[in-house]
Amino acid sequence: MSQTVFGKIARERVSDRVAAEILRLITSGDLPPGEKLPAERQLAEMMKVSRVSIRAALQRLQGQGFVSAVQGGGTRVVSATGDTEPALTELVRIDRSNLHDLAEIRSNLEVWAARRAAENARPKHLEEMAASLEAMASPERDAHERALDDVAFHLAVARASGSAVYLHILTVIRDILTEMLDYHRYELFGTPEDDAAVLAQHRAIFDAIEAQDASGAAEAMDRHLSWVLEHYRTPEGAAAPASRSDAAE
Amino acid sequence: MSQTVFGKIARERVSDRVAAEILRLITSGDLPPGEKLPAERQLAEMMKVSRVSIRAALQRLQGQGFVSAVQGGGTRVVSATGDTEPALTELVRIDRSNLHDLAEIRSNLEVWAARRAAENARPKHLEEMAASLEAMASPERDAHERALDDVAFHLAVARASGSAVYLHILTVIRDILTEMLDYHRYELFGTPEDDAAVLAQHRAIFDAIEAQDASGAAEAMDRHLSWVLEHYRTPEGAAAPASRSDAAE
DNA sequence: TAGGTTGAATTGGTATTACCTTTAGACCGC
DNA sequence: GCGGTCTAAAGGTAATACCAATTCAACCTA
């Protein structure tokens, strides 16, 4: 039991050697992101292995987020660091109803964050929120800019909460939501009345946070998100928050 | 250019469909970590696709860290969340106060899940919960086993919520909490009175879910977690829930 | 000539078949 | 029991053929 002298044998698959070699070229910078690597048939011949092994290696590298293959197009390097958070994204991609859950969970977290923000907000955070409110109130902002202001406000609240963990989780969720919504080409629209309502709700949240009224802030945020979810609910229901509600805020 | 009649075709790789299906089984809990999945040849026949496609799917899942294959041995599930959260783990490792935030966020999510569970629970989920309750009530269970029963109950609620997204996020958070707490060698203890109180609270949650009382379930869960957080709060405050509250439940 | 169209070459994706290497369990003899 | 052997099963590799999407240059039309 105490014979630690014996490590496990190297035992390496051919496809592992291939993957290691390609990965080495990627991380060393020889194959920068965007670069198209040789065709599978060429790689197979160059490395003197079967195409099966080449494909096995590339499949794993795809799973790790280093490369991306398009039928007929080729295989390209997409990242030198490898993305790892495709799990949640994949989950949502599989079943659209998960998108609704995710939006709901996010709402929950935002309410929690509002409470925390009321307790912890510092002057610079309040300034940040005020700035985005002012920008959003400006009449010459178009719909797109307004959406960005919207995001900025919610981000300011997140920062004011003083929780790095929350900021991280929220960012992950937001990325997924925007990616999925962009993918489905959702447009962000709102009537002037809607914009006014959103602005008023934001102001209520801000006032409560500024007054360090934790419960009030939580309630205001809850009202706001409920309004958004309700207001932009789509007929089919499942993909309800398919609107600015999630893409923007 | 304005021919919007033609949406883009579903075009999906066979191996993607296979990977999605397997991933669904993993994230839903049907294939828990450690479980060995059917042989490639069997999967190929069951899904009516070639072994090549099965392997392509498994290679990608390996790259994502969900499964692990060894020649001659088989393919096993190693994680239900993949390689997702290294960033979040690092965040917590750097600043212990983040641990408290994470525990608080988890509480929030559990309350939400309890509400959802009351709305969606199916017989098998109720049975699962009842089983863990019964086990926990048994006098001959020691502290360690009791903690496992505790986890089982909360996991059953999570599954009953019917939200794969929630199950995923909760698992990630739980893994981080247990890892961090185990790392600091926290012991899980509780007086018999405490155990009785926890059991009673679990029963209350179960009853509400069984009665499909969403608000009641949410309140019961909230009371339970508040009690746990309060009861096991440590003097230093920051890492407050450093006890069975997070490691176990 | 400019610009769109076509079509063959290229490239990744899937299927089929065959064989090798390792693992795991049954079996057997000492 | 203990160790060894045998064997069926599982994953890994190879070779070949064909499918499907993309690319791009030759081609054709206005």
Side-chain angles (χ1 to χ4, degrees):
Chain A
M1 207 47 173
S2 57
Q3 286 287 0
T4 58
V5 216
F6 299 107
K8 58 172 179 293
I9 303 297
R11 182 161 320 303
E12 210 171 25
R13 292 175 288 202
V14 174
S15 59
D16 279 344
R17 292 269 326 130
V18 173
E21 175 63 10
I22 296 176
L23 189 54
R24 188 182 65 76
L25 293 174
I26 293 177
T27 54
S28 72
D30 291 334
L31 289 176
E35 184 83 355
K36 189 160 82 174
L37 35 91
E40 296 179 352
R41 290 169 176 83
Q42 293 178 31
L43 282 173
E45 198 193 353
M46 285 165 25
M47 296 188 178
K48 306 299 180 191
V49 298
S50 81
R51 198 179 150 210
V52 178
S53 299
I54 296 291
R55 283 186 61 78
L58 291 180
Q59 301 281 7
R60 275 199 283 269
L61 290 178
Q62 276 188 72
Q64 295 176 9
F66 287 103
V67 303
S68 173
V70 179
Q71 183 173 355
T75 304
R76 306 189 108 88
V77 179
V78 296
S79 164
T81 60
D83 280 347
T84 19
E85 134 277 338
L88 247 190
T89 309
E90 204 56 33
L91 213 53
V92 174
R93 205 188 305 278
I94 293 170
D95 186 353
R96 290 287 315 274
S97 76
N98 284 328
L99 199 60
H100 184 232
D101 287 353
L102 198 58
E104 217 173 298
I105 288 174
R106 194 212 50 163
S107 293
N108 241 310
L109 294 179
E110 293 240 28
V111 171
W112 175 82
R115 171 173 277 114
R116 284 284 303 257
E119 296 167 350
N120 302 327
R122 314 183 66 159
K124 70 170 183 178
H125 299 131
L126 293 175
E127 288 170 19
E128 203 179 337
M129 287 184 240
S132 65
L133 277 181
E134 191 172 351
M136 206 176 174
S138 170
E140 59 258 22
R141 304 284 277 180
D142 63 23
H144 180 63
E145 291 171 319
R146 215 175 279 271
L148 292 181
D149 298 334
D150 202 326
V151 173
F153 178 78
H154 282 262
L155 217 51
V157 174
R159 271 196 279 272
S161 74
S163 171
V165 172
Y166 167 69
L167 196 53
H168 175 88
I169 295 178
L170 179 70
T171 303
V172 171
I173 293 180
R174 184 198 311 288
D175 286 348
I176 294 173
L177 290 174
T178 51
E179 180 189 332
M180 294 310 295
L181 296 176
D182 279 348
Y183 180 74
H184 287 92
R185 307 226 192 297
Y186 280 109
E187 291 297 327
L188 316 180
F189 280 133
T191 68
E193 293 77 31
D194 291 341
D195 286 341
V198 168
L199 185 56
Q201 290 162 7
H202 279 192
R203 280 228 170 82
I205 296 168
F206 174 74
D207 291 342
I209 292 177
E210 191 179 27
Q212 300 186 7
D213 175 6
S215 298
E219 282 171 25
M221 180 64 85
D222 194 18
R223 272 199 304 276
H224 170 49
L225 293 175
S226 296
W227 181 88
V228 170
L229 269 175
E230 178 62 31
H231 204 73
Y232 289 92
R233 185 176 299 277
T234 56
E236 61 261 46
S243 72
R244 67 177 304 164
S245 69
D246 291 271
E249 303 193 51
Chain B
M1 214 46 172
S2 57
Q3 283 290 359
T4 58
V5 211
F6 301 106
K8 54 175 173 298
I9 306 299
R11 293 191 309 95
E12 209 172 24
R13 289 180 291 202
V14 175
S15 58
D16 278 346
R17 293 265 331 126
V18 173
E21 174 64 10
I22 296 176
L23 186 54
R24 190 182 65 76
L25 293 174
I26 292 177
T27 56
S28 70
D30 289 335
L31 288 176
E35 184 85 353
K36 189 160 86 173
L37 34 92
E40 298 179 350
R41 291 169 177 84
Q42 293 179 31
L43 283 173
E45 196 191 355
M46 291 179 342
M47 295 187 177
K48 305 298 179 192
V49 298
S50 81
R51 195 177 153 215
V52 177
S53 298
I54 296 291
R55 282 186 63 79
L58 292 179
Q59 302 280 8
R60 277 199 282 269
L61 290 178
Q62 278 189 69
Q64 294 177 8
F66 286 103
V67 303
S68 172
V70 331
Q71 182 173 356
T75 306
R76 304 191 109 88
V77 178
V78 296
S79 165
T81 58
D83 281 339
T84 330
E85 73 312 338
L88 199 52
T89 307
E90 204 51 35
L91 214 54
V92 174
R93 205 189 304 280
I94 292 172
D95 185 354
R96 291 288 315 275
S97 77
N98 284 328
L99 200 59
H100 183 232
D101 286 352
L102 200 56
E104 217 173 298
I105 288 174
R106 193 210 52 159
S107 293
N108 240 315
L109 294 178
E110 293 240 28
V111 171
W112 176 81
R115 170 173 279 115
R116 285 283 305 254
E119 296 166 350
N120 301 328
R122 316 185 64 159
K124 72 170 182 178
H125 298 129
L126 293 176
E127 287 170 19
E128 204 178 339
M129 287 183 242
S132 63
L133 278 182
E134 192 171 352
M136 205 175 174
S138 172
E140 58 257 21
R141 303 285 276 181
D142 63 23
H144 180 63
E145 291 171 321
R146 216 175 279 273
L148 291 181
D149 297 334
D150 200 329
V151 173
F153 178 77
H154 283 262
L155 215 52
V157 174
R159 272 199 275 273
S161 76
S163 171
V165 172
Y166 166 69
L167 194 55
H168 174 89
I169 295 178
L170 178 71
T171 304
V172 170
I173 292 179
R174 183 198 312 288
D175 287 348
I176 294 175
L177 290 175
T178 52
E179 179 189 332
M180 296 309 294
L181 295 175
D182 280 345
Y183 179 74
H184 290 283
R185 306 222 190 299
Y186 281 107
E187 291 297 327
L188 316 180
F189 281 133
T191 68
E193 293 77 32
D194 290 342
D195 286 341
V198 167
L199 186 56
Q201 290 162 7
H202 279 191
R203 281 230 170 82
I205 296 168
F206 175 74
D207 291 342
I209 291 176
E210 191 179 29
Q212 300 184 11
D213 175 7
S215 299
E219 283 169 24
M221 179 64 86
D222 195 19
R223 273 198 304 276
H224 170 48
L225 293 175
S226 298
W227 181 89
V228 170
L229 268 175
E230 179 62 30
H231 204 73
Y232 289 93
R233 184 176 300 277
T234 57
E236 62 261 44
S243 74
R244 67 177 304 161
S245 68
D246 292 272
E249 302 194 53

